Amino acid sequence: MSFRQGQKQARPRTMMILLSVLVSAAVLAGCSSEPTASGLTDPNAAWQGGATEASAAPNSSQSGVKNIAGWALPLDEFVPEFSNLDNYAEQLLLASCLSQKNIAWPVPWQDIDEPTSPVFNPTGRRLFNLEIAKKYGFRTNLAPSKSAQLWETFLTYQPTEPGFQDAFDTCLDGIRAEHPLVSSEDTMFVNALIAQIQEQAFQDSAVQEAAGRWRSCMEPQGLGQLPENPNEFPSLELQGELGAVPPVKTVEPSARELDVAVAHATCLDSSGFSAAMYEKEWELQETAIERERTKLDAIRDAVQARQAAVKEIIAANAPKA
């Protein structure tokens, strides 16, 4: 049995949570239809960074500070951080538990102060603006860090000790009993609320008018039929033509990809689409929070408790660099 097969068979609950995260990331992707995973509690996920920069997306519903560059929104405080810290903490606990059974689980050191990807905000929302377009085009597969390289090596590890699977299952059950994950139902509730609001915001008359101006702005690019919703641009077909669909030969975008990305970002700004969409989402999220205040407060408390526990676990168990 391979490492990856063992993980998938041993961790059905993890895969359910990962599925909800994948759905969330696809919904939150904004300008990209490429699904991305946060990596929460999934050892097979790529490392995309540990720390989140508070300045990039403040705790918006508490501070009331709008930040369109980081697409900070009121529901952010109810969403687990888009980082590998949760996953890292759980793998460290597994390593400690398995070592007591004389089974190696070589979780590598990871730089928990390393920022997450510059093209995602702390909640996993795909970011896209003129600054990002000029530097990254439509790319999300950026150059791997030292931590990412170490994690990739860990993913290839093949346990050979007898009884590994049973020991892994026992350890995982015990860890999650002592350090419970954020409820998948809670995560899905918040994700569904965010998705519903995005759909509702796009139907707003001011947003629809701005979308029309975006299409008029983009027509001179000669890119064929444009989507009704600018957030659905570029299509997977166009991304393929630009060489931006994984697996890619290089993380560096071509001149053509940069040109299209810059045109898209420029039109998002000049049409007023990004601004109109952001303002409407903010308004609708504030209303939703007041409507669902009791349930959301409980979810926020659970998210914050889990994140505090994760930091304590890492501080107590992380290997040295």
Side-chain angles (χ1 to χ4, degrees), residues 129-284:
N129 52 43
L130 187 56
E131 180 181 357
I132 289 173
K134 288 179 177 178
K135 190 171 184 179
Y136 304 113
F138 297 111
R139 302 302 171 104
T140 58
N141 57 315
L142 311 183
S145 64
K146 178 182 178 181
S147 290
Q149 293 171 7
L150 291 171
W151 200 261
E152 282 297 315
T153 300
F154 174 51
L155 298 189
T156 66
Y157 180 70
Q158 299 280 346
T160 58
E161 293 90 342
F164 163 76
Q165 194 67 55
D166 289 341
F168 183 95
D169 292 346
T170 300
C171 284
L172 183 62
D173 288 343
I175 288 167
R176 291 191 173 173
E178 184 177 357
H179 304 282
L181 303 173
V182 175
S183 164
S184 58
E185 288 79 8
D186 287 347
T187 300
M188 293 178 72
F189 174 79
V190 177
N191 291 342
L193 194 58
I194 291 171
Q196 179 184 27
I197 287 171
Q198 285 181 330
E199 293 178 4
Q200 187 177 351
F202 181 67
Q203 298 304 318
D204 179 72
S205 59
V207 174
Q208 288 282 305
E209 291 171 5
R213 292 192 295 270
W214 171 84
R215 287 191 294 274
S216 297
C217 179
M218 288 292 290
E219 283 175 359
Q221 296 296 320
L223 297 170
Q225 185 173 359
L226 297 166
E228 291 295 313
N229 189 337
N231 284 337
E232 296 174 0
F233 182 89
S235 65
L236 284 175
E237 181 180 3
L238 179 56
Q239 289 182 59
E241 292 175 9
L242 297 172
V245 177
V248 295
K249 295 181 180 179
T250 174
V251 296
E252 299 295 332
S254 66
R256 173 59 174 159
E257 181 181 342
L258 290 174
D259 286 345
V260 175
V262 167
H264 176 38
T266 300
C267 289
L268 286 174
D269 288 343
S270 65
S271 66
F273 177 80
S274 290
M277 188 71 177
Y278 182 73
E279 290 298 324
K280 196 62 183 179
E281 279 193 68
W282 183 285
E283 173 192 330
L284 293 173

Side-chain angles (χ1 to χ4, degrees), residues 83-105:
S83 74
N84 285 82
L85 295 184
D86 192 290
N87 182 24
Y88 186 37
E90 185 163 88
Q91 300 309 312
L92 289 171
L93 290 176
L94 281 166
S96 177
C97 181
L98 289 169
S99 70
Q100 297 174 27
K101 304 176 186 294
N102 297 316
I103 295 176
W105 194 246

Side-chain angles (χ1 to χ4, degrees), residues 29 31-37 46-48 82 116-120 124-128 132 136-144 239 244-246 248 250-251 253 257:
C31 298
S32 173
S33 58
E34 176 186 344
T36 56
W47 178 266
Q48 75 269 341
F82 178 74
T116 52
S117 169
V119 298
F120 291 96
R125 169 93 186 208
R126 174 76 165 92
L127 298 176
F128 188 81
I132 289 173
Y136 304 113
F138 297 111
R139 302 302 171 104
T140 58
N141 57 315
L142 311 183
Q239 289 182 59
V245 177
V248 295
T250 174
V251 296
E257 181 181 342

Side-chain angles (χ1 to χ4, degrees), residues 44 114 124 201 233 263:
N44 296 318
E114 172 188 311
F233 182 89

